Each structure stands twice: as structure tokens, then as C-alpha cells.
Amino acid sequence: MSDHTGTQTSYWIETAPGVPRPALSEDITVDVAVVGGGMAGLSTAWEVARGGRSVAVLEADRLAEGVTGHTTAKLTALHSLVYQRLRRTRGEDGARLYGRSQLEAIGRAAELVDELGIDCEWETAPAFTYATDDRASELRAEAEAAREAGLPAEFVTDTDLPFPVAGAVGVADQVQFHPRKYLLALAEALERGGGQLYEHTRVVGLHEGEPCRLTTEAGHTVTARDVVVATHYPIFDRALLFARLSPRREVVLTAPIDAGRAPQGMYITPEENTRSVRTAPYRDGTRLLIVTGEHFTPGTSDTGEHLTRLADWATAHFGPLEFRHRWATQDNDSSDTVPLVGPLHAASRHTYVATGFGGWGLSGGVMAGLLLSALIDGREPPWTGLYDPRRVGTVLREAPAFLKYQAKVAQHFVGDRLAPFLEGGSVDDVAPGDGAVMRVGGHVCAVSRDDSGQLHAVSARCTHLGCLVAFNRAERAWECPCHGSRFDVDGRVLQGPATRPLEQRDV
Ligand code: FES
């Protein structure tokens, strides 16, 4: 990543570092154990604790620092062009339930901000899905579908973007906020109420029963009546959900912009490999412009190229900019656009999952908290079936692009097992800052060299299901193209579904 694109830190993490929580250091018993401390996990923990249950949150890294700490932080029910698609795949009732559940989630977050007095830069703003090309009729149809789904949506041709659009779907009274200030305040309130929060506590085993038992990497056991897996990509996949999820990475850039010319709304377009725009309060009469886009499958592309393209787009559309932050984020798309929230598999009695938010994990995470806490309580909100991970039928109507992605995964499963025997390589050829997969001493190794010339070598076989990882130079990380696991140069897990590190190799 080039220096002209600012520091390699998420603005949300830089401005809300949070206090450390202990790692779990003993066996514990609670009513509900939540694996994963992001928006979905903490929202679920909050709701079940509200219902009078004891709860523990087990986070492999830091609370609210994973995907939630790298989002663009829009809390909206307008999810790009989802409503026309929902009408086709889930019918008008499905689209309405989706709209209602997402609006309810935004309302719930607003209630908590009020009730707990959370200072999280909460701003009400209109959300828009726009196009600059000839898609005006598609947007008009989306506005109608969103309106029928219960959103106050309208088709407009005027926006406060500094460039003309062919049309846009606009929805008033949506929200932009600081996701970590919100979630860390929620975590503190949860703790004050007796909730247990653990960081650097990686869960590696799940025994389903009555009660369920989780095992951590450090060897401790958490006994719980109910277990919620909210790890972004599920670390336990007993219903082959991975066949219905595709990971994608996207880059984010920020730059101060004069408050007088900062757009008030939040924007997204599917054009140019997606562009998303919002602003946040900043200093000295400026607001912070936050632009996102350039999605790609992890392990298939270098983040640096995407940042350069996004930076060029931002300066072409907003004038000269001095970039302050750059980061990348990762999302999982479900095969039918609808998140998978509910029982973990067909025979689940006390295990639940929340995943597949497709880039809309803030409203989706709050929705998941409400839905899962209701299911744990024995209640079924009207949208239970819509989000049920056990749904069948909609898979048959998957988008062609999704099927293409699954074909690529299948190619990796087969090809990655053959290719290493055909390839050679020399560690001497690996330049500082670079990395390569090669066969060394009979092992398939992922070899990288840091800026000081030091070699780092680990197994190139992803510990999830064995695909070969690829090097992302800009982020100095090994990424798996199959389901998006990511590892640092010494093999440490940065992102699941893998839970075990890549094995060290001596080269
Ligand atoms: Fe599944 Fe690597 S993430 S094989």
C-alpha cells in the first residue's frame, strides 16, 4: 500500500481504542455463551442478558475490532438493490419482513443510545443507492420495491453528491454513527449488569448436548445451555453453510473535507465495483470523508492496487484529498442475499449462528441479537423463517455469480492438491515485502520476507479445509481464496473460519 493513502489503521479503532478485557483463565458455566464479540455477538449478549440470563462473550481477538471495527458504519435498511431481488426470491411478504426487521433493528439501536446515553456520533441522515449510468429505470423499480417493503423510499434525481447522478433511491431518517463507541459502551453496560467479556480467547471446540460445552485454545471449558456462533464466518459449520457463503474484501479510505462541501447523505452504487460514501464528524470545520469499494475475493488480488483505484476515484469526484486512513474490510455474502440467522443446523436444539450479512452487518447484527434472543426464549418473531439458515429452495435461485464463485472454490479444492507437485521455487527469489508459495523439502510452504530481510515460513495449507493460501503484499497477510481465512506471516489466525494457525516450517 502506498503512503499517499494515509496510515494503515481503521479510524474507528484509532479514535476508540477501548479497554482490554482478560482472557478466560478458568472453566465457567453460564446460561448462554456467545462466540464472537462484534455487532452480532455483543447485540445478542445484550439482549439475552436483558432477558435475565447469565452470559459470556468469548472473543478470539479484541472486542468490536474485527469486521465491526472496519465497517463504514451505516445503520440503514436500504441495502443497495436488495428489495427487487427479495421480491423475486422470497416474494412480497419476504421483502416486507426483511424491511420491517431491519427497521426494527435501527429503532432498537436508537433506543439503546437513548437509554444508556451512548455518545457515538449518532447522526440521522438519508441513505441513497445511486447510479450515474443508464440504470434509472432499475432504481425507480427498486424505490417502488423498497416502498412496498415498508421503507419510506422515493426515486430522486437530485442528491448532494458533487457530481450528477442518473437517479437514486432515497430513504430518509437512516443513521450513521461511530460503531466502536456504540459497541464499547454497550459492552460496558453489559459488564455492569454481570455479563462476562473475554478477549484473546479463541474457541476451538464445540460439544453439543444438554448442556453444550465449548473448549478454548488455552484448554478451558465453557458450559452453557445455549451457544451462539457469531464469528462472522462460522467457525463451526455443521450444516455446510460454507457452500452458501462467499467472502469478499473491500478497501476503505478517509480524507478530511471542508464541512461546507461534505455530503449530508450516505451513498452507495453498484457501479465501478461498488462505491460507498459517507462522512463523519472531524476537526476544525471539516468532516471526514469515508469512501469504500473495489471488492475482491481474498487471496486473489493485492489490496494496494484496489486502494490506488479507489483513491483515484475519490480525488476525481471530490477534488484534491489528503488521505488519512486506509484499511480493508471483509464481508460474507449469502447465496440468496438474506443473512443466515437461527439454528446452527437441522438437528440444533441449543446452538445458533449469525452470518452472511453481505456488508450490512450493523443493522443485521442488531436484528440478529433480537432474533436469536427471542429464539433462545422460545419465541419466534415473524421473520424467523426468512432468516432461518436451514431454509431450502432459495438456494436453487442463487445468482449465477455466486455459482461461479463456488465453482472457483471447487477448483481450488482439487487444483490446490495437485499444483504443489508441479511447482518448485527458491526462497532466495522472495524479495523483501513479498511472499510466495513453493515446495521446500517436500512441504508446500508459504514463504515471505519482511523489510529487514528476515524469512518467515509456514505451511501453505489453510487449516480450515486445506486450500492453498496466497500472499496479499499490501497487507502482509496470507489469505485463503476458499472461505476467506487470513493469517499473518507467522501463521497466526487473523480471520476465520480457520481456528488453528498455519504450521511453522523450517526453510
Ligand atoms: Fe476454508 Fe481456507 S478458509 S479452506
Side-chain angles (χ1 to χ4, degrees), residues 371-386:
L371 174 53
L372 293 178
S373 62
L375 295 179
I376 288 169
D377 260 1
R379 292 178 287 116
E380 291 203 351
W383 37 84
T384 301
L386 175 73

Side-chain angles (χ1 to χ4, degrees), residues 302 489 493:
D302 193 271
V489 292
V493 178

Side-chain angles (χ1 to χ4, degrees), residues 462 464-467 480 482-485 497:
C462 175
H464 178 226
L465 292 174
C467 291
C480 180
C482 282
H483 313 107
S485 289

Side-chain angles (χ1 to χ4, degrees), residues 202-336:
R202 186 175 294 284
V203 170
V204 293
L206 165 65
H207 167 80
E208 292 187 63
E210 297 195 8
C212 297
R213 270 197 308 280
L214 291 164
T215 322
T216 69
E217 196 172 31
H220 301 296
T221 300
V222 179
T223 305
R225 177 180 181 271
D226 295 288
V227 168
V228 173
V229 179
T231 53
H232 194 233
Y233 204 111
I235 56 166
F236 301 114
D237 189 358
R238 292 171 184 180
L240 301 186
L241 292 183
F242 67 76
R244 301 173 70 180
L245 291 170
S246 53
R248 69 180 147 87
R249 245 175 130 62
E250 252 178 337
V251 292
V252 186
L253 283 169
T254 76
I257 183 170
D258 187 78
R261 62 187 189 100
Q264 303 292 305
M266 303 176 275
Y267 293 89
I268 191 163
T269 177
E271 292 171 6
E272 302 191 63
N273 198 4
T274 310
R275 295 288 182 257
S276 158
V277 172
R278 65 159 283 191
T279 63
Y282 204 52
R283 36 182 108 122
D284 307 330
T286 65
R287 286 182 63 88
L288 196 66
L289 178 70
I290 303 170
V291 293
T292 309
E294 290 289 317
H295 61 79
F296 61 97
T297 303
T300 63
S301 196
D302 193 271
T303 309
E305 298 160 19
H306 294 285
L307 276 166
T308 302
R309 266 203 293 275
L310 187 64
D312 290 348
W313 179 87
T315 45
H317 288 78
F318 290 89
L321 296 169
E322 195 182 309
F323 293 104
R324 292 286 162 85
H325 311 85
R326 63 180 190 268
W327 70 84
T329 183
Q330 195 156 314
D331 291 304
N332 297 314
D333 294 319
S334 78
S335 52
D336 64 358

